Amino acid sequence: MRPYLPPLKSLQFFMVAGQLKSFKLAAKQLNVTQAAVSQQIKLLEQHLDTVLFERSNKQTRLTASGEKLLPFIVEGFESLFAGVKAISGDPNPTILRVSAINSFTSLWLLPRLADFQKAHPEIMVQIAPSNEVTDFSKGDIDLAIRMGGGGYKGLMEKKLANDELVFIASPDLFKDNDPSDPSAVFSLPWLEDTSEKAIPIFKQACEDFGIEQGKLTPLIRSDNSVTLIENAVLGRGFTTVVKSLVADHLRNGRLIRLLNFSAPSPYSLYLVAPEQHFGWQKIKAFEQWFVPEIRRSFADLDQW
């Protein structure tokens, strides 16, 4: 009696050919001949007693049975890869791939990363700026730096710091105005943060300062902190922002705080990765540099 499951190799060849919709491209990716791909697909079809591909000179496409089978095979291989990775060592000990949100990458991480590289020249750091939650079962990301609310399912998370939202603007806008005067602040052009959790905080601030938000017309609307901060530095208006992202601008006087306003940020800073990654030497080295640097950076925020 033949085994219920077909050979793993034939399933792998089917998955790659099905995803690429081409035996030729599958052969190239698998580093085998096109005939080898065709043979493995034929073996699988014989095992399952069903046709999985419609073959013609112009194209190769999945049959209805093939379309039905493919997502199950993809899910199965992803689970296998995740399981093997969970108990294996670091496959690339000299390359550290870090996913970090766009604003944090531009405003905090990249200006300081040379210090880590100088201390660890044996580790090549590759940064993947992204605001999307990292899927560690796909791709080669080793570690993620996230600003969020925690609760990253199936991952280890290390909370590093809380933050707060503040109003900021260029000091050039207040040569003749008082940055603690609500009427002066809210008469400036408004650079609106449209991110979901910032909207209710700004609305509450307007109520607290007796401002009718409906009468405010934003000059710029964006959920990208880098865009808002860059325009604020250029003197184009005021905005609400996470204080840690503008700490350096506040220290050197390119920006000033307004109205002495602050509100607890809904976002905290986390290191996030599968638990076994935190045992890898390159991540230990990065964490030993990153955590003290972050805490030094956050330590004097109350002064600004």
Side-chain angles (χ1 to χ4, degrees):
M1 182 177 179
R2 68 182 180 178
Y4 181 74
L5 284 176
L8 190 63
K9 185 176 182 179
S10 65
L11 290 173
Q12 181 190 20
F13 279 41
F14 164 73
M15 177 182 72
V16 176
Q19 289 176 317
L20 297 176
K21 297 181 174 59
S22 167
F23 285 10
K24 182 178 180 180
L25 294 177
K28 185 175 181 180
Q29 180 169 314
L30 292 164
N31 198 28
V32 297
T33 65
Q34 188 171 337
V37 173
S38 182
Q39 181 184 27
Q40 288 296 324
I41 299 298
K42 187 176 292 186
L43 286 172
L44 180 60
E45 290 177 327
Q46 290 173 351
H47 186 100
L48 299 174
D49 195 23
T50 187
V51 177
L52 299 172
F53 285 93
E54 294 178 4
R55 300 161 175 86
S56 69
N57 292 330
K58 293 184 178 180
Q59 63 180 355
T60 302
R61 62 184 180 184
L62 291 165
T63 63
S65 295
E67 291 279 7
K68 187 174 182 179
L69 178 62
L70 182 61
F72 291 98
I73 303 304
V74 171
E75 183 179 357
F77 270 95
E78 287 179 353
S79 182
L80 282 172
F81 291 144
V84 171
K85 190 175 181 181
I87 63 170
S88 62
D90 182 0
N92 296 294
T94 62
I95 300 175
L96 174 61
R97 298 180 176 91
V98 180
S99 171
I101 60 171
N102 293 315
S103 56
F104 185 81
T105 298
S106 300
L107 298 168
W108 193 97
L109 184 56
L110 289 181
R112 294 169 171 83
L113 194 57
D115 293 338
F116 174 77
Q117 297 276 217
K118 190 181 296 183
H120 295 278
E122 76 283 4
I123 301 174
M124 178 191 296
V125 181
Q126 298 177 350
I127 304 297
S130 174
N131 289 341
E132 301 299 320
V133 176
T134 304
D135 184 349
F136 286 92
S137 69
K138 301 176 181 177
D140 298 314
I141 296 300
D142 300 308
L143 180 69
I145 302 171
R146 303 256 65 92
M147 277 189 174
Y152 299 98
K153 188 177 179 181
L155 300 171
M156 176 179 281
E157 58 188 52
K158 297 188 178 184
K159 185 176 179 179
L160 302 176
N162 293 317
D163 213 329
E164 59 183 336
L165 291 171
V166 294
F167 284 162
I168 51 94
S170 167
D172 294 341
L173 298 177
F174 290 90
K175 291 178 179 177
D176 301 314
N177 295 311
D178 182 358
S180 63
D181 178 4
S183 61
V185 170
F186 286 97
S187 66
L188 295 173
W190 174 29
L191 312 176
E192 182 183 6
D193 184 348
T194 59
S195 56
E196 181 181 356
K197 293 186 178 180
I199 292 173
I201 293 174
F202 184 83
K203 180 180 179 181
Q204 184 61 52
C206 287
E207 293 177 5
D208 293 343
F209 288 110
I211 302 296
E212 291 185 51
Q213 184 181 346
K215 293 185 178 180
L216 300 177
T217 302
L219 176 68
I220 293 172
R221 303 182 76 246
S222 177
D223 62 358
N224 187 322
S225 296
V226 175
T227 299
L228 297 171
I229 293 168
E230 286 177 347
N231 280 277
V233 170
L234 292 171
R236 291 175 179 157
F238 80 100
T239 191
T240 316
V241 71
V242 175
K243 190 199 283 188
S244 62
L245 295 180
V246 292
D248 290 341
H249 289 311
L250 294 171
R251 290 186 187 103
N252 60 35
R254 284 193 292 263
L255 293 171
I256 58 173
R257 285 187 56 186
L258 310 177
L259 304 174
N260 198 31
F261 168 83
S262 68
S265 172
Y267 309 105
S268 299
L269 192 67
Y270 292 87
L271 285 179
V272 182
E275 184 175 359
Q276 69 272 12
H277 287 204
F278 284 101
W280 293 352
Q281 188 56 44
K282 65 187 181 187
I283 290 185
K284 287 182 178 179
F286 184 81
E287 189 177 358
Q288 287 167 3
W289 167 79
F290 180 77
V291 173
E293 192 69 22
I294 274 289
R295 288 180 176 157
R296 276 194 297 271
S297 176
F298 276 64
D300 67 345
L301 286 183
D302 290 343
Q303 300 178 34
W304 308 99

